[in-house]
């Protein structure tokens, strides 16, 4: 298969790659792990997963050469998908690490959830459409799985919204960049559909016509 049909998964010791790879396997979507930019596919979408602390993840991406390269790849037209902390790193910065800048590919500062709710937010939350997007369906009040303490506030770039103490951005998109605050790979059929739809919009389609039922 040519590189144009490959998904590059950034491997920087801050992403839950095993469950994400399992979801892509279920969808029949081809992928490649890449610890450094020279290991990435020459074409196709790049996925930036992430769990943990904002500044530690930023430092790891800098050490591996991704921090400098990602904005250039996006400017050249490569689709980029951030998941959980990966979405937060796409923003301008985070309250979790005031001294560490974000990639600035999506506007806004990531802020702590609340007030008056348990943090971290761990579990299922209902999402609703904030604005239409050609690559994503209307979730119609579906539920997705979240594990996070910080999130972007909704803006004109926001596709889906959820709530935990306050409304927050569940899915963001700007140009060829998209980000999920929930973990689609851990969100059952709804999450698989979301992952399949977004990657199809980015140019990678599965051989089977539908998401598996279980």
């Amino acid at each position: 298969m040519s590189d144009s049909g490959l998904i590059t998964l950034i491997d920087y010791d801050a992403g839950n790659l095993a469950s994400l790879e399992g979801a892509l396997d279920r969808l029949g979507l081809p992928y490649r792990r890449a610890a450094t930019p020279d290991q990435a596919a020459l074409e196709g979408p790049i996925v930036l997963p992430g769990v943990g602390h904002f500044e530690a993840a930023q430092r790891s991406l800098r050490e591996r050469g991704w921090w400098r390269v990602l904005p250039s790849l996006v400017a050249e037209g490569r689709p980029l998908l951030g998941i959980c902390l990966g979405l937060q790193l796409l923003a301008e910065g985070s309250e979790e690490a005031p001294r560490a800048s974000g990639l600035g590919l999506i506007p806004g500062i990531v802020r702590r959830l609340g007030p008056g709710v348990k943090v971290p937010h761990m579990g299922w939350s209902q999402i609703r459409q904030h604005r239409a997007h050609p690559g994503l369906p209307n979730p119609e009040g579906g539920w997705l799985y979240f594990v996070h303490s910080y999130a972007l506030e909704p803006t004109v770039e926001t596709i889906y919204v959820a709530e935990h103490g306050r409304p927050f951005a569940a899915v963001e998109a700007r140009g060829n960049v998209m980000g999920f605050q929930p973990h689609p790979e851990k969100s059952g059929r709804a999450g698989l559909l979301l992952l399949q739809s977004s990657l199809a919009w980015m140019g990678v389609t599965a051989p089977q016509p539908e998401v598996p039922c279980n």
Side-chain angles (χ1 to χ4, degrees):
M1 176 177 290
S2 69
D3 272 1
S4 61
L6 275 177
I7 299 160
T8 296
L9 301 181
I10 298 180
D11 184 358
Y12 65 114
D13 296 331
N16 188 4
L17 288 183
S19 59
L20 183 55
E21 288 173 331
L24 295 175
D25 287 337
R26 292 189 69 193
L27 292 171
L29 296 174
Y31 57 87
R32 170 193 297 175
R33 284 197 187 198
T36 55
D38 61 294
Q39 297 174 357
L42 296 177
E43 301 178 47
I46 298 170
V47 178
L48 175 62
V51 293
H53 192 274
F54 187 97
E55 189 169 7
Q58 185 222 51
R59 182 167 56 250
S60 183
L61 288 167
R62 284 188 184 277
E63 291 170 352
R64 288 163 171 78
W66 284 106
W67 198 258
R68 175 180 56 84
V69 168
L70 283 173
S72 298
L73 292 173
V74 168
E76 293 168 3
R78 289 288 291 272
L80 175 61
L81 174 64
I83 297 177
C84 196
L85 180 59
L87 163 59
Q88 297 177 18
L89 291 163
L90 299 178
E92 297 172 52
S94 174
E95 289 183 341
E96 185 178 27
R99 296 177 300 175
S101 63
L103 286 163
L105 298 172
I106 289 177
I109 301 297
V110 179
R111 304 195 184 280
R112 187 171 174 85
L113 293 170
V117 291
K118 183 178 179 181
V119 175
H121 170 213
M122 299 178 64
W124 296 81
S125 285
Q126 194 170 36
I127 56 171
R128 59 179 174 81
Q129 189 177 67
H130 188 65
R131 74 174 175 95
H133 187 277
L136 295 173
N138 187 332
E140 298 178 346
W143 295 74
L144 296 174
Y145 185 77
F146 295 80
V147 182
H148 64 124
S149 299
Y150 297 82
L152 281 166
E153 297 177 339
T155 69
V156 294
E157 313 291 346
T158 302
I159 308 303
Y160 297 164
V161 171
E163 291 195 22
H164 189 70
R166 61 171 173 84
F168 66 86
V171 178
E172 291 273 311
R174 187 182 200 188
N176 55 332
V177 177
M178 185 178 288
F180 303 155
Q181 186 58 62
H183 285 275
E185 75 281 8
K186 297 181 179 180
S187 297
R189 189 177 188 277
L192 287 178
L193 177 60
L194 181 63
L195 196 58
Q196 183 185 57
S197 298
S198 60
L199 290 169
W201 175 73
M202 292 180 173
V204 180
T205 56
Q208 66 263 34
E210 295 183 356
V211 171
C213 292
N214 52 39

